[in-house]
Amino acid sequence: MAMAKREKTLAVRPVPAPVPVPEAPPTPSATPVSATAPTSARSVRWGDLEDAAGGLERPLLRQRGSNTTSQMAVVGTNVCPIESLDYEIVENDVYKQDWRSRGRIQIFQYQVLKWLMALLVGSFVGLVGFFNNIAVENIAGYKLLLTSNLMRQNRNLGAFLLYMACNAVLAGSAAAICAYLAPAAAGSGIPEVKAYLNGVDAHSILAPSTLFVKIIGSILGVSAGFMLGKEGPMVHTGACVAAMLAQGGSRKYGLTWNWIRYFKNDLDRRDLITCGAAAGVTAAFRAPVGGVLFALEEATTWWRSVLLWRTFSTTAMSAIVLRSLIEYCRSGNCGLFGKGGLIMFDVSSRVTTYTATDIAAVILLGILGGLLGALFNHFVDQILRRYGVINEKGAPYKILMTVFISLVTSCCSFGLSSLSPCVPCPPELAPGKCPTIGRNGNYKKFWCPAGHYNALASLFFNTNDDAIRNLFSGGTDSEFGVYTLLTFFIGVYTLGLITYGVAVPSGLFIPVILSGASFGRLVGKIFGSGLDTGLFAIVGAASFLGGTMRMTVSVCVILLELTNDLLLLPLIMLVLLVSKTVADCFNKGVYEQIVRMKGLPFLEVHADACMRSLVASDVLSGPVITFSSVERVGSVVNTLRRTGHNGFPVIEEEPFAPAPELCGLVLRSHLIVLLNGRTFTRAPVKTGAAEVFRKLKPFDFAKVGSSGKAMEVDELRLTEEEMDMYVDLHPITNRSPYTVLENMSLAKAAVLFRDLGLRHMCVVPRTPGRPPVLGILTRHDFMPEYIRGLFENVLRE
């Protein structure tokens, strides 16, 4: 999975011989590579660019001849090209005219619409989360009821075959729709959402087809008994819902809403998708405050105070919708859907008191959770790399691997439960409560005789939510023995590893919580402290979440909202801090590892060590391709056809300027729209913005959504006469692009690039008499893999 190659964003234009200038003193770390700088600012033909190379010797860093990284990454289970998002406001005449044309009513409408969209996203995500819960509980419940009925008739082999067949069919169906309809829907989706909110765009990452497959595939996958959860995919689902609303629907599927045309830009979409991700956590865990903190701590890269309020309103609306629908289900109108209210695992009735011995046990649990969490991340990385080889062979192999993992899971859950001994029911329990027959319950009968229950079946032969509820339940210290907890922990830990990576929507939260809860209960059982083993299970779940996800604040609040036990706050905080600190000594969080492994060009908060000995000009790819401010149409078209660049410097030349100077930056998409408007002249003269707005409107320059397709240059159908005419680029040129000097530290440039949310950064000379722009830095230029591909002896972490 190659690292995303630099998003090429240069422009075409040869130039005369360079003007001699005094040599600048070298930087302390390395002599800048001037092989990337063009020899002039004047325009030339495409073929002349091959002769523009040249360079200086580098005394400290040896530059390789070429770099082998590519502009591809893995999204879901599909390899696809990667682009960057335009979070920067393009301050050209089109943008200024758009805002000048808006009155007070339209500006007020724009502000109100932001809040209305946030509330709509929360409502829709709440509905989706409710639908997921109903579907999973009913499908999985019906499957377990059929199996239990056969077991009551002593048809155990038939029950096993039915159980395995149902799981295989559900798993195969989920894999098939993922593999053929939307490969981007496979997996958790959280790494892709993190990358998108960092500025990375990929085909179909938030498309309506991905949304549909994510919902249906998640329901089928969880119902199939896989050791995975729907919580991770709900984050991706919320982001997809927000993206579809933000872009005004989908032209491809005939669903468009022109009244939200104000959101046709990446900046507004980014904020709304952040709200959608937070609403996804709320719908999955029923934790509105935890959803806001998840978006702040884990998902988004840029955070503002106004976004906090908007995200909070989104999660509040999602929680309100969920609660209203759950109240409706209390009357039994939702089939086998649970009636637990907004708190999923309410343990607030227990009195939480703990001693110094309990604190020592919690610290030990945090250390072990950090070690096992780091080990889990290591194995996930290794397994996903091997699954990637299988996934590359095509859709049939994805489906076969998914069905095989389903069979293994069914054999483990059914087989291990069969090997577990039957235990007599506690005498204080009524006959109806032990053993329980059917879909759920703490004391599953399985095929035990009357008055006995199967402890492992109470965990394995259940839905994942019910298994967590059984582990968190208090007053059941004697229900699960050491053998049961150890067997379940090893089984869940292993199945969680081999399941994540199959071609179905799959989340890591549930297997990690199950592993942590069983391990925590096991530690509590061994220590025999005064703290309830159910509370140890909650602390153990927090320990494993901190060791794998490396989240602290959001996980703490989510667990408190799940369990409704505020008295556990000090213990959860302590165990999270310990587990995260221990795990950070070995590797990164699981989502950070997956982002890197998939090849998504994620910009970290701090610059990599390899950038500290370099300057901005060291990583430029050249020669730079530029346009004149008034350019020949044929030159623009030929450049767009021959390059995949998305941004081009515009140079002001004679007769419009006494000497070549940087006029600004123009985007590829804006060039195609301008050419399609055919505002051409026969002579190279300025036409101004008024001429452009006679044929085009500001809305025509809006970016299409993730499900739409932008116009390509080959669709313009220009005549030979039009190709010889001229077009004025001033109206669509961003007159204030961000620039840095060529000798600026690459580490500082990387921090500036990330904090401003840029797609292009122009590098300009520090001495006069040289071309006005030396090149453009893009996201790929700051990737450590790319830099180490250029300089083999650069510093490493």
Side-chain angles (χ1 to χ4, degrees):
M1 322 308 170
M3 259 326 271
K5 185 170 175 55
R6 107 183 222 95
E7 180 175 331
K8 306 196 174 193
T9 55
L10 311 170
V12 182
R13 167 159 307 284
V15 282
V19 179
V21 294
E23 185 178 352
T27 60
S29 57
T31 305
V33 176
S34 63
T36 60
T39 56
S40 162
R42 292 181 54 82
S43 174
V44 276
R45 300 297 164 258
W46 179 261
D48 300 335
L49 293 174
E50 298 177 359
D51 303 325
L56 298 176
E57 242 180 278
R58 304 182 50 78
L60 299 181
L61 296 177
R62 296 186 300 274
Q63 183 175 18
R64 294 180 179 178
S66 62
N67 182 54
T68 57
T69 55
S70 71
Q71 202 170 351
M72 307 291 288
V74 179
V75 177
T77 58
N78 194 35
V79 179
C80 61
I82 294 295
E83 297 288 349
S84 290
L85 295 166
D86 295 300
Y87 287 153
E88 178 190 358
I89 296 177
V90 181
E91 295 183 351
N92 54 20
D93 292 343
V94 173
Y95 171 81
K96 295 174 183 176
Q97 174 64 23
D98 183 27
W99 276 101
R100 279 196 298 263
S101 63
R102 297 185 186 184
R104 291 185 178 180
I105 295 179
Q106 288 178 306
I107 294 175
F108 177 76
Q109 178 186 358
Y110 172 69
Q111 297 297 332
V112 170
L113 206 54
K114 284 186 176 182
W115 289 95
L116 178 61
M117 292 296 293
L119 298 178
L120 283 176
V121 168
S123 301
F124 280 117
V125 175
L127 287 171
V128 171
F130 177 74
F131 172 72
N132 278 7
N133 285 336
I134 290 181
V136 169
E137 291 291 327
N138 281 276
I139 295 175
Y142 188 62
K143 175 191 68 177
L144 294 175
L145 281 177
L146 289 178
T147 307
S148 298
N149 289 337
L150 289 177
M151 294 173 66
R152 292 174 63 185
Q153 302 170 16
N154 294 322
R155 299 166 60 184
N156 296 330
L157 179 61
F160 170 65
L161 294 177
L162 175 66
Y163 180 76
M164 188 168 56
C166 289
N167 287 343
V169 170
L170 292 170
S173 302
I177 62 174
C178 275
Y180 288 107
L181 298 182
S188 168
I190 292 179
E192 285 83 357
V193 173
K194 275 175 63 74
Y196 184 92
L197 295 176
N198 189 258
V200 179
D201 192 16
H203 178 68
S204 298
I205 189 173
L206 299 173
S209 59
T210 304
L211 171 62
F212 171 77
V213 173
K214 201 76 178 183
I215 297 173
I216 303 301
S218 176
I219 292 172
L220 296 176
V222 175
S223 302
F226 277 128
M227 196 55 61
L228 51 84
K230 56 185 179 293
E231 286 73 15
M234 273 304 302
V235 175
H236 194 182
T237 299
C240 289
V241 169
M244 189 174 72
L245 290 176
Q247 70 190 27
S250 171
R251 294 180 183 178
K252 180 179 179 181
Y253 299 101
L255 300 172
T256 56
W257 305 285
N258 292 329
W259 57 278
I260 54 176
R261 61 186 182 276
Y262 294 122
F263 294 96
K264 291 288 186 177
N265 63 82
D266 290 330
L267 189 61
D268 285 332
R269 288 176 189 164
R270 180 187 73 189
D271 291 348
L272 203 58
I273 288 170
T274 302
C275 296
V281 175
T282 302
F285 292 108
R286 309 177 197 176
V289 179
V292 175
L293 294 176
F294 173 85
L296 170 61
E297 184 178 8
E298 182 67 15
T300 189
T301 300
W302 296 278
W303 191 262
R304 310 185 312 278
S305 59
V306 66
L307 186 58
L308 174 66
W309 284 101
R310 200 171 300 147
T311 307
F312 184 75
S313 66
T314 305
T315 58
M317 178 57 68
S318 182
I320 291 172
V321 170
L322 273 174
R323 177 141 199 157
S324 301
L325 294 174
I326 288 173
E327 290 296 330
Y328 171 76
C329 285
R330 288 183 182 275
S331 57
N333 296 320
C334 300
L336 297 171
F337 181 56
K339 307 170 185 177
L342 208 59
I343 305 298
M344 294 179 69
F345 314 115
D346 194 341
V347 296
S348 59
S349 59
R350 283 175 280 176
V351 178
T352 307
T353 58
Y354 37 85
T355 63
T357 305
D358 298 327
I359 298 295
V362 167
I363 293 176
L364 176 63
L365 189 57
I367 295 173
L368 296 176
L371 292 173
L372 291 171
L375 185 65
F376 186 90
N377 291 358
H378 171 74
F379 283 136
V380 164
D381 183 84
Q382 298 301 315
I383 292 173
L384 286 182
R385 292 182 187 278
R386 284 153 180 78
Y387 280 3
V389 177
I390 301 175
N391 291 332
E392 288 177 355
K393 296 182 179 180
Y397 289 88
K398 297 178 183 179
I399 299 172
L400 289 175
M401 184 176 69
T402 303
V403 174
F404 173 75
I405 298 297
S406 172
L407 296 177
V408 171
T409 303
S410 300
C411 291
C412 286
S413 58
F414 206 99
L416 291 176
S417 300
S418 303
L419 297 176
S420 178
C422 295
V423 181
C425 290
E428 65 272 11
L429 292 179
K433 292 187 176 181
C434 180
T436 54
I437 301 173
R439 180 181 64 90
N440 57 13
N442 266 40
Y443 303 90
K444 297 282 286 190
K445 184 176 185 296
F446 207 55
W447 53 42
C448 291
H452 293 70
Y453 72 97
N454 189 310
L456 264 181
S458 302
L459 300 175
F460 270 122
F461 203 66
N462 238 328
T463 62
N464 291 333
D465 288 351
D466 287 331
I468 295 175
R469 187 174 289 108
N470 292 345
L471 287 170
F472 283 0
S473 60
T476 57
D477 293 356
S478 61
E479 178 183 357
F480 304 110
V482 172
Y483 166 78
T484 298
L485 294 171
L486 183 61
T487 304
F488 183 72
F489 166 70
I490 296 174
V492 169
Y493 194 88
T494 305
L495 290 175
L497 285 171
I498 66 174
T499 303
Y500 191 78
V502 297
V504 297
S506 53
L508 280 174
F509 274 98
I510 289 299
V512 170
I513 290 176
L514 282 171
S515 301
S518 56
F519 187 79
R521 195 164 182 126
L522 177 63
V523 170
K525 192 84 173 176
I526 294 174
F527 265 76
S529 67
L531 198 63
D532 190 279
T533 54
L535 298 181
F536 261 107
I538 299 172
V539 176
S543 172
F544 271 55
L545 286 171
T548 54
M549 312 291 181
R550 311 295 162 83
M551 295 182 289
T552 53
V553 180
S554 56
V555 166
C556 182
V557 174
I558 287 173
L559 286 176
L560 290 178
E561 291 183 285
L562 278 176
T563 59
N564 196 28
D565 192 348
L566 192 60
L567 296 177
L568 269 179
L569 177 61
L571 295 182
I572 293 178
M573 292 174 65
L574 175 62
V575 78
L576 282 170
L577 291 173
V578 173
S579 62
K580 174 176 166 52
T581 302
V582 171
D584 281 340
C585 297
F586 298 96
N587 49 35
K588 290 183 175 291
V590 64
Y591 295 130
E592 285 78 7
Q593 285 191 176
I594 295 174
V595 165
R596 178 175 294 182
M597 189 202 65
K598 284 175 173 286
L600 297 166
F602 191 88
L603 292 174
E604 300 289 350
V605 178
H606 303 290
D608 194 88
C610 64
M611 304 181 193
R612 296 169 190 165
S613 57
L614 298 172
V615 294
S617 61
D618 287 333
V619 296
L620 292 178
S621 297
V624 67
I625 304 171
T626 64
F627 287 128
S628 289
S629 56
V630 179
E631 185 61 272
R632 196 175 69 88
V633 174
S635 177
V636 177
V637 172
N638 290 333
T639 300
L640 295 178
R641 284 175 177 169
R642 293 176 181 268
T643 68
H645 307 332
N646 289 290
F648 303 87
V650 176
I651 306 300
E652 196 84 87
E653 298 176 311
E654 293 181 354
F656 308 109
E661 61 184 32
L662 179 62
C663 178
L665 193 77
V666 64
L667 298 180
R668 180 189 190 92
S669 58
H670 290 180
L671 282 171
I672 294 177
V673 173
L674 183 66
L675 293 175
N676 191 47
R678 289 170 168 75
T679 56
F680 306 146
T681 58
R682 298 189 180 277
V685 295
K686 284 186 178 182
T687 58
E691 182 66 25
V692 173
F693 293 133
R694 288 194 183 97
K695 298 183 178 180
L696 298 171
K697 298 178 181 179
F699 183 71
D700 296 327
F701 292 91
K703 184 177 180 180
V704 298
S706 56
S707 63
K709 185 178 181 298
M711 178 180 288
E712 299 292 339
V713 64
D714 292 331
E715 301 174 17
L716 292 175
R717 303 287 187 266
L718 297 174
T719 64
E720 290 295 330
E721 181 182 4
E722 290 173 328
M723 294 284 279
D724 289 330
M725 301 176 75
Y726 292 85
V727 59
D728 183 11
L729 303 183
H730 287 97
I732 62 170
T733 300
N734 182 3
R735 304 294 184 87
S736 55
Y738 287 97
T739 61
V740 296
L741 291 175
E742 59 179 322
N743 63 333
M744 184 179 189
S745 165
L746 188 62
K748 285 187 176 181
V751 173
L752 182 66
F753 191 94
R754 180 189 184 276
D755 290 348
L756 295 176
L758 301 182
R759 187 179 187 181
H760 312 105
M761 177 183 283
C762 295
V763 179
V764 297
R766 62 171 179 167
T767 54
R770 301 171 64 190
V773 60
L774 303 180
I776 293 182
L777 293 174
T778 60
R779 174 177 295 267
H780 179 65
D781 294 311
F782 299 105
M783 293 297 108
E785 290 79 4
Y786 171 73
I787 296 172
R788 295 190 180 106
L790 293 175
F791 305 102
E792 58 184 358
N793 62 331
V794 76
L795 288 176
R796 293 180 178 269
E797 292 285 3

